Amino acid sequence: MIARFKDLCLDATNPLALGAFWARMLDADVADAGDDDTRVDPRSARSNAESIWVNKVPEPRVGKTRVHLDLRLADADPAALLADGARLVREPAGDETWWVLDDPEGNEFCAFPAREGTRPGPFELVVDSTDPMAQAIWWAGVVGGTVEHESTTSSVVGASGFPWDYWVFVGVPEPKTVKNRLHWDVDLVDPEPMALIAAGATVLHEPSAQSRWWVLADPEGNEFCAFAPRPTG
């Protein structure tokens, strides 16, 4: 294991408004993270890894949503989410059992009906991939866990620090072309990301005076931030 899953970050042109929206979706509190950023902390969270940092960026969202959350509803349909500001993109069709919704800045997510024995809220992190098996294997090599394969998807289960049931990589025909609006962070085991780079990660930005983390990309170009262990003692 090279790293541990840390949390999610969501780009926003209006972090206060978008953070408030996701707080309603996830029954969460909103914290001021400084520099116009906010943080969404679900009240029923089992760890800090369920927090979502909403970070201000100047550019609006463009392109397809390639990273999204799947939510389990508290009810049989997403009426409550729609009343709280979500927009319906697509009704269930064919064998689908989920609704596709989006937030006020156009970030799509999926909502599944309530199911006995499950709790409302996120249960999957989903990433579009041109080679889902290779992606799942690569990330399991970084954060541990086991890989499960289906016809067009591969999932990582039991990754270190991962707070939800499945980390799903879904096969799509098109490659990534623009920056992901939603990305994840990891905590490194070692002080520097040399093992990640040796495994195939690409360095996009080194730490700076304003940040103590590396911005990296995985083999399909998905951005993620890697944090060195905090000093102890």
Side-chain angles (χ1 to χ4, degrees):
M1 190 181 76
I2 299 172
R4 176 182 175 87
F5 187 92
K6 184 177 185 291
D7 50 31
L8 292 177
C9 294
L10 178 62
D11 287 352
T13 56
N14 188 336
L16 183 61
L18 197 60
F21 169 85
W22 278 102
R24 294 193 298 273
M25 296 299 99
L26 302 179
D27 186 28
D29 296 315
V30 180
D32 182 354
D35 297 325
D36 294 324
D37 297 340
T38 60
R39 190 183 68 244
V40 178
D41 297 324
R43 299 185 182 105
S44 62
R46 291 166 288 196
S47 75
N48 291 338
E50 293 192 53
S51 292
I52 302 175
W53 295 76
V54 187
N55 298 327
K56 187 173 181 61
V57 296
E59 70 277 0
R61 179 188 174 278
V62 294
K64 179 186 178 186
T65 299
R66 291 184 69 87
V67 182
H68 74 267
L69 284 170
D70 285 348
L71 309 186
R72 181 70 62 188
L73 297 170
D75 304 306
D77 62 54
L81 274 60
L82 295 172
D84 276 336
R87 185 180 71 89
L88 180 64
V89 176
R90 191 174 75 240
E91 298 268 4
D95 295 333
E96 296 178 354
T97 60
W98 59 90
W99 292 261
V100 179
L101 310 175
D102 67 11
D103 69 17
E105 294 203 5
N107 303 295
E108 293 185 359
F109 60 100
C110 296
F112 289 70
R115 177 185 294 176
E116 186 176 356
T118 63
R119 65 169 186 156
F123 69 98
E124 294 181 333
L125 177 63
V126 183
V127 184
D128 285 358
S129 309
T130 55
D131 189 340
M133 183 180 296
Q135 281 288 93
I137 291 171
W138 193 85
W139 275 104
V142 171
V143 294
T146 58
V147 177
E148 299 179 355
H149 302 295
E150 296 185 11
S151 58
T152 60
T153 66
S154 295
S155 303
V156 179
V157 180
S160 178
F162 192 77
W164 304 299
D165 296 337
Y166 301 100
W167 192 347
V168 183
F169 297 88
V170 177
V172 297
E174 72 282 351
K176 179 179 179 293
T177 57
V178 297
K179 178 187 176 188
N180 291 330
R181 299 290 280 190
L182 181 65
H183 76 263
W184 52 91
D185 296 336
V186 299
D187 283 321
L188 295 168
V189 172
D190 297 325
E192 296 189 357
M194 299 309 179
L196 267 171
I197 296 167
T202 302
V203 177
L204 302 179
H205 298 288
E206 297 275 357
S208 67
Q210 291 75 38
S211 64
R212 64 178 185 88
W213 57 87
W214 290 263
V215 181
L216 307 173
D218 72 12
E220 289 203 2
N222 297 299
E223 303 87 1
F224 65 100
C225 295
F227 289 73
R230 287 186 177 273
T232 59

